[in-house]
Amino acid sequence: VQLQASGGGLVQAGGSLRLSCAASGRTFSSYAMGWFRQAPGKDREFVAAINWSAINTYYADSVKGRFTISRDNAKNTLYLQMNSLKPEDTAIYYCAAQEKFTMRPLLDQGEYKYWGQGTQVTVSS
C-alpha cells in the first residue's frame, strides 16, 4: 500500500487542523493505521492509532482529548483531527499502515511496514 499524507500547515496556538492520509490499493480496510510525529531534534513518537475496523483507538497522553483519529474505509482515507493545538505539537506528521486484523491498535513504530512521506504541522505561539 502507498500512503500520501496531507493537510499540514501553519496555525496559531489554539487552532485546528485536519490531516488526511490517502491509501492506494483495495484492501485498506484490512490495515491497522497510525499517526506518528517527529519534532526537530527529537525521535519520532507515537500520536494515535486505530484498528482495522475503527472499533478501537488509542492516543498518546500528550494529545488525548485534543486529537481524534478516524478512518473512512470506503474512501481509503485515514484522518487526524487536531484541536487546541499547542506549539509543542509542531512536527512532521507521518501516517503508517500494517495489514493486521486485530482489535488492538498498533502503538509501536516497528509494527508498521508502510509509511507516508509526512506533512509539516507548525503551531505558532
Side-chain angles (χ1 to χ4, degrees), residues 21 24 27 35-37 46 69-70 83 86-87 94 109:
C21 176
S24 64
T27 60
W35 287 100
F36 294 80
R37 67 186 181 186
F46 169 79
I69 188 171
S70 62
N83 299 328
K86 304 175 181 179
Y94 299 90
Q109 297 182 50

Side-chain angles (χ1 to χ4, degrees), residues 6-20 65-68 80-87 89 93 120-124:
S6 62
L10 174 63
V11 63
Q12 288 189 328
S16 298
L17 282 174
R18 188 175 81 155
L19 305 184
S20 298
R66 299 187 298 122
F67 290 12
T68 302
L80 185 68
Q81 178 66 45
M82 306 186 295
N83 299 328
S84 303
L85 282 161
K86 304 175 181 179
D89 294 319
Y93 283 70
Q120 176 72 48
V121 172
T122 303
V123 184
S124 63

Side-chain angles (χ1 to χ4, degrees), residues 23 33 42 73 78 95 102 117-118:
M33 304 292 295
K42 295 187 177 181
N73 286 345
L78 173 74
C95 55
T102 68
Q117 86 291 356

Side-chain angles (χ1 to χ4, degrees), residues 55-83:
I55 289 178
N56 291 316
T57 59
Y58 195 86
Y59 299 91
D61 287 343
S62 59
V63 306
K64 201 171 295 182
R66 299 187 298 122
F67 290 12
T68 302
I69 188 171
S70 62
R71 65 190 296 163
D72 186 336
N73 286 345
K75 295 183 178 180
N76 284 10
T77 304
L78 173 74
Y79 302 100
L80 185 68
Q81 178 66 45
M82 306 186 295
N83 299 328

Side-chain angles (χ1 to χ4, degrees), residues 32-34 36 49 96-98 106-115:
M33 304 292 295
F36 294 80
Q98 176 60 43
L106 306 183
L107 311 184
D108 192 280
Q109 297 182 50
E111 297 186 274
Y112 290 94
K113 181 177 181 180
Y114 303 99
W115 291 84

